[in-house]
């Protein structure tokens, strides 16, 4: 039987061990168990591990450990010891946040700054006057500061490139080659990636020397015991009806991400659900970076539970990036929803539009069932999308001995919710192209106003920033009060007892109890996750059953 190494057996500083305990990590994940000792030995490493496997901590812990050891020998020395590059601002912010969590017991010793934000460089310069121990940045931003002599890498110990398979796809090849010129002759390098693409191998030649390749023998997705896959065949209007019913009747519980394939569909769904009093927020590449980051933070802090995200394929492949150069719409090349962004404690991922390829499906549903938590993925498919499902199923079946189908049938009986269908069709038709366009303009203008004119105000009044919610109604479609209510006659007979029990729980303080559950979940309690791990279990609705 193979023995496992725990954190306290890796010769890690006590301050790091206390921070790890604060995060509720009782034992290392596979990539952490294998990767941390290799990096502590000072070897270069190329690590390939699936989304949600704990790659970030696997390289952050050794980086911080080496800095603590350096500071013990050179307490009066100030120099940048580590540069961490990532392809998007959101991912940089997430890495920076993880570093702050892991250095909470040594924050006076280890200083980390994130310079990925696209603001005036003069505003960031004071952060670099005293060389920080760790700098997190996109390749483009790091190069600009290096060229301006705002910091140097003469004494760099470690270079990390996270989501390495996206770095060239995002157009950073030239920036990486220029940054290498500023590096010392000797340094340790780490490439972390979800896939071993040709771009990663090219990057390996540029950066790594005699590297250890850590390719973990684990599937791209969590096992079926941890992640349950559902499918449902439906055309466009039926998809909207099902989504409306699932949210309004609380058939789906917990934090949910709804994926669509276009920005327009983001707003169309938001405006559709808005008519029924279902609050959602959108996330796409047209929104300002500060808005996107704030949206993710509020979602992770349980301020709202539903995000509608557009997963634009052109962000994942270089030829797609190039093919969109003539597009009239301005997208942020440093933005990608499905890759790298840490949506915490997601219970359900819904593919409203089925992803266009296998890897997009893997990265989408990888937002749930992260770490050791359980999750559910529900995919809606129309006739044109059926062939895509087979490709995904064949891929997931590789290396799995089970003969059962990967996708269970989400057997929702539309005839039992005919009243909902009637309402949904009217609401769907009400969301015209003009309404969608106005909603997009309204939200972008609103976020730009907040990010520019109120920036200083929010810095001085951070509590007011918390009250800025991204799931507010856009009001470009006429709202009718009666639409948000569900009369008793519309509720299927098989669901009436279920709804009544929920109402009774809420009246007895169930809402307060839910908030307490979320707080416990954030500090590592497992009881809450066990109770809500699969939102479809325990329902007595005959329209939903396993086949």
């Amino acid at each position: 039987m193979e023995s496992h190494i725990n954190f306290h057996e890796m010769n890690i500083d006590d301050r790091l061990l206390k921070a790890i305990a604060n995060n509720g990590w009782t034992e290392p994940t596979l990539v952490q168990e294998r990767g941390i000792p290799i990096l502590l030995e000072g070897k270069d490493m190329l690590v390939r591990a699936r989304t949600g496997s704990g790659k970030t901590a696997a390289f952050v812990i050794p980086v911080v450990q080496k800095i603590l050891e350096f500071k013990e020998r050179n307490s009066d020395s100030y120099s940048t010891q580590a540069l961490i590059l990532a392809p998007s601002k959101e991912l940089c912010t997430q890495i920076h946040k993880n570093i702050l969590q892991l250095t909470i017991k040594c924050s006076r010793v280890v200083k980390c700054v994130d310079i990925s934000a696209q603001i005036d460089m003069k505003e960031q310069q004071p952060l670099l006057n005293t060389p920080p121990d760790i700098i997190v940045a996109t390749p483009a931003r790091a190069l600009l500061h290096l060229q301006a002599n705002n910091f140097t890498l003469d004494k760099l110990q470690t270079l990390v490139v996270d989501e390495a398979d996206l770095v060239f796809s995002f157009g950073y090849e030239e920036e990486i080659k220029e940054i290498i010129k500023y590096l010392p002759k000797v340094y340790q390098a780490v490439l972390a990636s979800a896939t071993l693409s040709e771009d990663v191998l090219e990057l390996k030649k540029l950066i790594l020397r005699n590297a250890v390749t850590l390719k973990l023998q684990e599937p791209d997705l969590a096992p079926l015991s941890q992640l349950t896959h559902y499918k449902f065949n439906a055309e466009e209007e039926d998809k909207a009806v099902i989504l409306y019913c699932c949210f309004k009747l609380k058939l789906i519980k917990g934090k949910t991400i709804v994926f669509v394939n276009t920005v327009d569909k983001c707003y169309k769904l938001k405006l559709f659900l808005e008519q029924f009093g279902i609050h959602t927020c959108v996330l796409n590449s047209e929104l300002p970076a500060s808005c996107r980051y704030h949206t993710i933070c509020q979602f992770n802090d349980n301020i709202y539970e539903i995000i509608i995200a557009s997963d634009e394929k052109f962000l994942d492949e270089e030829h797609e990036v190039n093919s969109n150069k003539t597009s009239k719409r301005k997208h942020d090349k440093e933005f990608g929803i499905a890759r790298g962004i840490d949506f915490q404690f997601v219970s359900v991922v819904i593919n409203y539009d089925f992803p266009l390829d296998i890897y997009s499906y893997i990265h989408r549903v990888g937002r749930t069932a992260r770490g050791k938590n359980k999750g559910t993925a529900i995919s809606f498919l129309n006739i044109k999308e059926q062939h895509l499902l087979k490709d995904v199923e064949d891929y997931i079946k590789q290396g799995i001995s089970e003969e059962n189908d990967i996708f269970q049938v989400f057997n929702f009986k539309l005839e039992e919710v005919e009243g909902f269908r009637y309402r949904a069709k009217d609401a769907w038709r009400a969301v015209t192209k003009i309404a969608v366009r106005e909603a997009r303009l309204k939200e972008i203008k609103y976020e730009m106003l907040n990010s520019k004119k109120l920036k200083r105000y929010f810095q001085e009044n951070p509590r007011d920033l918390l009250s800025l919610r991204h799931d507010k109604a856009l009001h470009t479609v006429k709202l009718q009060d009666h639409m948000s209510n569900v009369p008793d006659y519309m509720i299927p007979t098989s669901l009436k007892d279920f709804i009544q029990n929920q109402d009774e729980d809420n009246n007895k303080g169930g809402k307060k109890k839910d908030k307490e559950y979320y707080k416990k979940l954030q500090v590592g309690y497992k009881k809450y996750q066990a109770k809500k791990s699969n939102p479809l279990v325990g329902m007595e609705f005959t329209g939903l059953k396993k086949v």
Side-chain angles (χ1 to χ4, degrees):
M1 186 175 179
E2 187 178 356
S3 60
H4 295 281
I5 303 175
N6 216 318
F7 286 116
H8 67 272
E9 299 174 301
M10 296 180 182
N11 295 322
I12 294 175
D13 191 281
D14 285 344
R15 289 165 288 185
L16 262 174
L17 291 175
K18 289 178 182 178
I20 290 170
N22 282 349
N23 285 329
W25 302 345
T26 56
E27 58 185 26
T29 63
L30 183 60
V31 66
Q32 292 163 3
E33 182 183 344
R34 303 281 179 83
I36 292 174
I38 292 172
L39 293 179
L40 289 177
E41 291 177 11
K43 298 178 180 178
D44 285 11
M45 187 172 75
L46 169 59
V47 55
R48 183 265 186 196
R50 67 176 172 84
T51 300
S53 61
K55 292 195 301 291
T56 304
F59 62 73
V60 168
I61 290 173
V63 163
V64 176
Q65 175 67 25
K66 290 176 66 176
I67 292 172
L68 290 173
E69 293 173 356
F70 176 82
K71 288 296 183 73
E72 287 182 2
R73 301 189 302 268
N74 307 276
S75 57
D76 297 330
S77 176
Y78 294 95
S79 61
T80 298
Q81 300 291 305
L83 174 63
I84 301 177
L85 302 175
S88 71
K89 294 182 288 290
E90 288 84 1
L91 186 52
C92 287
T93 306
Q94 175 186 308
I95 293 170
H96 180 246
K97 183 178 179 180
N98 291 340
I99 293 172
L100 294 182
Q101 291 173 342
L102 286 168
T103 57
I104 190 170
K105 300 296 182 181
C106 53
S107 56
R108 295 184 179 180
V109 180
V110 180
K111 180 184 176 185
C112 175
V113 298
D114 174 16
I115 57 171
S116 62
Q118 290 185 336
I119 59 176
D120 193 326
M121 290 175 60
K122 292 181 180 179
E123 294 184 35
Q124 292 178 334
Q125 191 171 356
L127 299 173
L128 302 170
N129 285 341
T130 300
D133 300 293
I134 306 172
I135 293 178
V136 183
T138 61
R141 201 67 182 173
L143 181 59
L144 285 174
H145 281 283
L146 284 170
Q147 291 172 337
N149 293 320
N150 290 339
F151 70 90
T152 64
L153 299 175
D154 297 341
K155 297 182 179 180
L156 187 81
Q157 287 194 72
T158 311
L159 171 68
V160 178
V161 181
D162 197 11
E163 297 293 345
D165 52 339
L166 294 185
V167 169
F168 283 178
S169 297
F170 277 51
Y172 289 129
E173 183 174 0
E174 293 303 319
E175 285 88 343
I176 290 290
K177 290 178 179 178
E178 286 298 317
I179 289 173
I180 291 174
K181 297 177 182 178
Y182 290 87
L183 300 177
K185 291 183 178 180
V186 180
Y187 61 90
Q188 183 182 18
V190 184
L191 296 184
S193 174
T195 62
L196 294 181
S197 64
E198 292 183 5
D199 286 347
V200 175
L201 298 178
E202 182 67 25
L203 199 55
K204 176 184 176 182
K205 295 177 183 177
L206 291 173
I207 294 176
L208 302 182
R209 296 171 215 151
N210 301 320
V212 175
T213 300
L214 186 60
K215 185 178 179 181
L216 301 178
Q217 297 299 317
E218 61 175 0
D220 292 324
L221 287 176
L224 298 182
S225 58
Q226 184 180 355
L227 175 59
T228 307
H229 305 260
Y230 288 92
K231 64 180 179 180
F232 183 81
N233 298 328
E235 294 308 310
E236 199 67 26
E237 287 190 0
D238 288 341
K239 288 182 182 182
V241 176
I242 299 161
L243 197 65
Y244 163 36
C245 291
C246 286
F247 286 139
K248 201 62 184 178
L249 298 178
K250 301 188 184 301
L251 304 181
I252 288 177
K253 296 181 181 178
K255 296 163 76 171
T256 304
I257 303 177
V258 181
F259 278 108
V260 295
N261 288 341
T262 64
V263 176
D264 280 347
K265 186 68 70 65
C266 271
Y267 289 96
K268 189 172 181 67
L269 266 186
K270 177 178 173 63
L271 294 173
F272 168 76
L273 295 172
E274 186 178 287
Q275 296 175 74
F276 304 108
I278 301 170
H279 298 290
T280 65
C281 56
V282 297
L283 205 57
N284 59 70
S285 61
E286 291 187 345
L287 296 173
S290 58
C291 164
R292 301 192 304 253
Y293 172 64
H294 191 239
T295 300
I296 295 168
C297 287
Q298 289 196 330
F299 180 75
N300 289 340
D301 292 338
N302 309 304
I303 294 176
Y304 40 77
E305 291 196 332
I306 305 171
I307 279 184
I308 303 173
S310 66
D311 181 33
E312 293 136 307
K313 183 174 180 292
F314 75 85
L315 292 167
D316 284 334
E317 297 185 22
E318 187 175 4
H319 71 273
E320 292 290 345
V321 175
N322 294 334
S323 66
N324 277 270
K325 286 183 178 180
T326 58
S327 174
K328 293 181 180 179
R329 291 178 180 173
K330 184 179 180 181
H331 298 277
D332 187 344
K333 76 172 184 176
E334 296 183 359
F335 172 73
I337 291 291
R339 292 295 302 277
I341 304 302
D342 188 9
F343 296 93
Q344 297 175 5
F345 309 114
V346 176
S347 294
V348 186
V349 167
I350 298 176
N351 288 314
Y352 188 92
D353 293 330
F354 200 77
L356 301 176
D357 55 50
I358 296 169
Y359 294 104
S360 292
Y361 181 87
I362 290 169
H363 296 314
R364 282 187 186 186
V365 303
R367 300 305 102 202
T368 187
R370 295 176 72 88
K372 298 191 176 181
N373 299 322
K374 292 188 176 182
T376 302
I378 303 173
S379 297
F380 298 160
L381 297 107
N382 57 34
I383 294 176
K384 296 179 181 179
E385 296 168 331
Q386 294 295 325
H387 70 284
L388 298 171
L389 177 73
K390 187 179 185 305
D391 293 340
V392 170
E393 191 161 25
D394 290 342
Y395 182 84
I396 297 175
K397 277 186 176 179
Q398 295 177 7
I400 297 179
S401 58
E402 298 181 18
E403 296 181 359
N404 297 332
D405 292 336
I406 301 296
F407 287 86
Q408 302 177 33
V409 176
F410 189 79
N411 194 14
F412 193 100
K413 295 184 178 179
L414 282 167
E415 60 269 19
E416 295 191 15
V417 289
E418 195 61 36
F420 289 87
R421 182 202 284 269
Y422 179 77
R423 281 188 171 191
K425 284 188 175 181
D426 285 345
W428 189 255
R429 283 194 292 266
V431 185
T432 62
K433 290 183 179 180
I434 294 175
V436 169
R437 185 178 64 201
E438 289 177 352
R440 292 175 65 165
L441 291 172
K442 185 174 183 179
E443 180 144 317
I444 292 171
K445 288 178 180 178
Y446 176 67
E447 296 302 341
M448 289 181 68
L449 175 69
N450 287 326
S451 63
K452 291 183 178 180
K453 294 186 178 180
L454 299 180
K455 180 178 179 181
R456 183 174 295 278
Y457 174 80
F458 283 136
Q459 288 176 345
E460 297 173 354
N461 301 272
R463 290 186 179 181
D464 289 352
L465 182 61
L466 292 176
S467 66
L468 175 62
R469 295 176 65 109
H470 300 274
D471 59 343
K472 293 180 179 179
L474 292 174
H475 298 292
T476 60
V477 175
K478 184 179 180 181
L479 303 182
Q480 303 178 60
D481 292 338
H482 74 278
M483 295 282 277
S484 61
N485 299 319
V486 180
D488 187 63
Y489 69 84
M490 287 179 60
I491 302 175
T493 305
S494 55
L495 263 184
K496 286 186 177 179
D497 291 340
F498 175 74
I499 298 295
Q500 185 177 357
N501 291 336
Q502 280 192 324
D503 292 340
E504 289 176 359
D505 288 342
N506 287 337
N507 292 334
K508 292 178 182 178
K511 292 182 179 178
K512 182 179 180 181
K513 191 175 181 182
D514 280 343
K515 291 181 180 179
E516 293 173 354
Y517 281 152
Y518 278 123
K519 288 180 181 178
K520 290 179 180 179
L521 183 59
Q522 288 178 321
V523 295
Y525 280 76
K526 298 181 180 179
K527 291 182 179 179
Y528 174 79
Q529 189 61 34
K531 185 173 182 179
K532 287 194 173 182
S533 60
N534 188 343
L536 302 179
V537 172
M539 291 174 43
E540 298 179 356
F541 180 32
T542 58
L544 294 173
K545 61 183 180 181
K546 295 181 180 179
V547 176

